[in-house]
Amino acid sequence: MNEINNAYVSDKYQYTMGKSYLECGKQDQIAVFNLFYRKAPENNNWAVVSGTEEVIEMVQKLGTEPEEFYEKFLPGDAYKEFRKYLSTMKFTGDVYCMREGEIAFPNQPIVTVVGPMIQAQVLETPMLCILNHQMAVATKASRVCRATNHPVSEFGSRRAHGPWAAVYGGKAAQIAGCASSSNILTGAFNGVPSTGTMAHSFITSYGSTVEGEHKAFCDYIKTHKGENLILLIDTYDTLRCGVKNAIRSFKENGIDDNYPFGYGIRLDSGDLAYLSQEVRRILDEHGLTQCKIFATNGLDEYLITDLERQGACIDSYGVGDAIATSKAAPCFGNVYKLVQIDDQPVIKRSEDKIKLINPGFQITWRISAQDSVKGHKFDGYVHKADVTCLRGDAMDMALQHGETITVRDEYDSYKSKTFEEGAYEARPLQHQAIAKGVRVCPRHSLAQKKQFYQDNLHHFSPAERRLINPHYYKVDISDALYDTKMSIIGKLVKEIEEFEI
């Protein structure tokens, strides 16, 4: 099979609509699309952004296939002119997006596409494919990592939903807090080391005997000296032979608390709280006080929280399918909606109230202020509110210049918050990534994305970061955006009420 051009991991209806746009003369209308989500999974307060880098790369692959490529899914003479059009159609518009590692709330534009109608339309499916996967994994990884102060490693490639999912899921997990990934391509593509030790098959390859386990441990140590050494001790019996063979093998090969590269054991079955406590006691009795205990076996944020509540002696966790597949909520809810056409804001009203969208070309600002109680340990600033504006409206301009503003609750006019000039900071969440089809944004390393996420996270209050029933964070829209939305709805409802055939 040929290498997949992910700009065309699309749905047929994107192209059937495109043909209609072309033949009706709408192809050059300037459309504004927003990609956003309506509700975070698992009652999260928010989601972690990952995948915008791949989105930027994908957009620039549009129009790189020969005319005969399109005949495979748009056959026949009726599509001949449209195929010719598509073969030279590169993206010539603008893209604005949140950085990877950003924390996004419902209805905020994660990506905004501004461009000719057909170009912007056909990006919908591949863009959602990329971001729905990576944001599901990143948001779950964030939850798992927030359940503990100990390192969490992602090693779910074997359970991931395909090769792409394994590679980019490993990246998303690390952005959102995981210490490492086992996937070698994730490491190679991002310039970071991948991690891994041994499987049970390595031990059973020496024969199913206690002495075979000892031999396997010794050979592993000898062939990996100068690296972090982790021995898997539950192949036969964790306490009666596994940990004892590990101690024996470490000592016979000169590995002790002075070993500079780190060493430890891994538990992969059984009562992890009890076993970790017993293993810790046995290791300490033999003078291996710096030997780390690494735990795996179907873990997620709830099990990790419970292990720590029970006093488990675990130094590091490995989490597989819970993160790699976002197992509890595998389908993330990003959508891609037209919000403006040729300077005219538009909405989708729908029968479901939650599906009502914000119209117009938007930008979101995050407002932070000093807080001596909840403040970040470095600068004292805490995120206080997000407000989404129409670009260039009064609120947007006031925030750009640091003027006094009042943010009002969209659904309760009695709730408002005023931020005085000089008493707050504000930063835009969306940045231009592509201008007239050309990339204009900087590239960030995986370490930079991860640090950006961590810095961002710790400017939210502890109550807003908790896993269960998090405290509400103020997310609103500007008066101008609210008025625009209500005006469109009012006119539309009046038309519907008066409509007859």
Side-chain angles (χ1 to χ4, degrees):
M1 185 176 181
N2 296 331
E3 183 179 350
I4 295 175
N5 181 341
N6 60 4
Y8 297 96
V9 178
S10 195
D11 292 309
K12 178 73 174 283
Y13 83 142
Q14 308 293 358
Y15 289 87
T16 58
M17 287 189 289
K19 180 176 185 288
S20 298
Y21 289 141
L22 180 65
E23 294 180 3
C24 294
K26 293 172 67 68
Q27 72 273 16
D28 293 325
Q29 285 186 298
I30 299 302
V32 179
F33 282 88
N34 276 353
L35 183 147
F36 60 94
Y37 72 94
R38 297 184 175 106
K39 188 176 186 299
E42 297 189 81
N43 294 315
N44 279 295
N45 223 4
W46 37 260
V48 180
V49 176
S50 179
T52 51
E53 179 64 38
E54 285 71 39
V55 161
I56 294 166
E57 294 172 358
M58 176 274 293
V59 169
Q60 296 184 302
K61 292 178 181 178
L62 201 63
T64 57
E65 297 292 344
E67 189 174 341
E68 55 267 26
F69 166 79
Y70 302 96
E71 195 163 4
K72 296 176 181 178
F73 59 95
L74 298 171
D77 288 343
Y79 283 94
K80 184 177 180 180
E81 291 303 313
F82 188 44
R83 290 196 298 268
K84 188 176 295 184
Y85 177 86
L86 290 174
S87 67
T88 60
M89 187 189 77
K90 294 187 179 295
F91 184 74
T92 59
D94 304 329
V95 174
Y96 302 80
C97 58
M98 294 186 182
R99 275 187 61 178
E100 293 194 303
E102 187 62 87
I103 288 172
F105 288 85
N107 299 311
Q108 297 175 341
I110 294 162
V111 178
T112 296
V113 176
V114 183
M117 187 69 210
I118 298 178
Q119 296 176 25
Q121 181 71 70
V122 299
L123 293 174
E124 176 180 5
T125 302
M127 196 174 288
L128 288 171
C129 178
I130 292 167
L131 285 167
N132 276 334
H133 167 247
Q134 290 200 37
M135 287 183 64
V137 174
T139 303
K140 185 63 171 183
S142 171
R143 288 179 60 82
V144 173
C145 293
R146 282 182 283 131
T148 178
N149 291 323
H150 297 298
V152 175
S153 296
E154 179 276 326
F155 65 101
S157 294
R158 65 188 64 193
R159 301 283 199 274
H161 297 150
W164 274 2
V167 175
Y168 293 113
K171 181 206 86 170
Q174 288 189 72
I175 288 173
C178 284
S180 61
S181 171
S182 66
N183 190 282
I184 58 175
L185 289 182
T186 296
F189 290 170
N190 292 282
V192 297
S194 48
T195 56
T197 54
M198 62 172 65
H200 292 103
S201 57
F202 182 78
I203 295 162
T204 57
S205 73
Y206 286 77
S208 295
T209 65
V210 172
E211 191 53 35
E213 182 181 55
H214 169 238
K215 174 65 172 159
F217 288 167
C218 285
D219 283 357
Y220 189 85
I221 292 170
K222 288 172 183 175
T223 54
H224 291 280
K225 270 196 174 179
E227 302 174 34
N228 183 253
L229 299 169
I230 305 292
L231 304 180
L232 179 59
I233 67 170
D234 74 328
T235 304
Y236 303 124
D237 190 299
T238 298
L239 298 179
R240 293 196 288 181
C241 65
V243 67
K244 294 175 182 178
N245 266 331
I247 292 168
R248 178 183 172 197
S249 302
F250 282 138
K251 290 191 171 184
E252 288 175 358
N253 289 279
I255 306 299
D256 57 24
D257 288 355
N258 294 315
Y259 182 66
F261 303 101
Y263 71 115
I265 59 88
R266 176 158 75 99
L267 301 172
D268 189 47
S269 61
D271 184 335
L272 296 178
Y274 167 74
L275 289 173
S276 67
Q277 291 166 347
E278 287 299 299
V279 166
R280 179 76 274 156
R281 178 184 60 79
I282 295 169
L283 290 169
D284 289 352
E285 286 176 353
H286 287 81
L288 303 183
T289 60
Q290 297 303 307
C291 183
K292 304 300 183 184
I293 298 176
F294 182 57
T296 56
N297 188 27
L299 298 176
D300 61 16
E301 66 268 42
Y302 304 106
L303 290 171
I304 289 173
T305 297
D306 199 49
L307 284 168
E308 302 211 338
R309 181 187 61 80
Q310 296 177 64
C313 298
I314 296 171
D315 300 293
S316 184
Y317 297 94
V319 180
D321 53 359
I323 289 177
T325 68
S326 185
K327 192 172 183 179
C331 183
F332 197 85
N334 280 318
V335 294
Y336 186 82
K337 299 299 177 184
L338 182 68
V339 294
Q340 184 166 296
I341 186 74
D342 280 347
D343 298 322
Q344 179 184 352
V346 296
I347 64 167
K348 173 180 181 287
R349 181 169 176 260
S350 189
E351 300 292 336
D352 299 324
K353 187 176 179 181
I354 194 173
K355 291 191 173 182
L356 178 64
I357 68 172
N358 292 325
F361 187 18
Q362 302 156 34
I363 186 170
T364 306
W365 290 85
R366 180 155 293 158
I367 302 167
S368 304
Q370 289 277 352
D371 190 319
S372 59
V373 176
K374 301 175 183 176
H376 188 278
K377 62 184 178 181
F378 297 118
D379 59 20
Y381 273 83
V382 170
H383 297 324
K384 293 292 186 179
D386 284 8
V387 58
T388 298
C389 312
L390 290 171
R391 287 177 180 258
D393 73 13
M395 178 73 79
D396 181 28
M397 300 307 293
L399 285 162
Q400 287 185 44
H401 295 99
E403 299 168 2
T404 298
I405 60 161
T406 298
V407 180
R408 295 179 179 85
D409 191 297
E410 181 180 356
Y411 304 104
D412 187 343
S413 60
Y414 293 100
K415 291 182 179 179
S416 64
K417 173 70 175 176
T418 297
F419 296 92
E420 300 290 344
E421 182 175 351
Y424 72 90
E425 291 184 351
R427 67 175 178 88
L429 301 190
Q430 298 86 11
H431 305 275
Q432 189 160 18
I434 293 175
K436 296 181 180 179
V438 178
R439 181 185 182 124
V440 294
C441 63
R443 298 180 187 273
H444 298 101
S445 68
L446 183 58
Q448 288 173 322
K449 295 170 186 177
K450 186 172 183 177
Q451 189 61 54
F452 178 69
Y453 160 76
Q454 293 288 353
D455 290 345
N456 206 0
L457 176 67
H458 287 102
H459 282 86
F460 288 97
S461 73
E464 290 155 355
R465 301 198 304 264
R466 65 189 175 216
L467 298 178
I468 298 174
N469 193 28
H471 182 69
Y472 171 77
Y473 175 78
K474 192 171 184 60
V475 179
D476 287 309
I477 61 176
S478 68
D479 291 348
L481 178 50
Y482 178 83
D483 291 343
T484 299
K485 179 161 68 170
M486 291 302 105
S487 174
I488 296 171
I489 292 171
K491 291 176 183 177
L492 182 60
V493 169
K494 187 173 185 297
E495 280 191 65
I496 292 170
E497 289 175 345
E498 296 174 354
F499 182 71
E500 292 182 0
I501 58 170

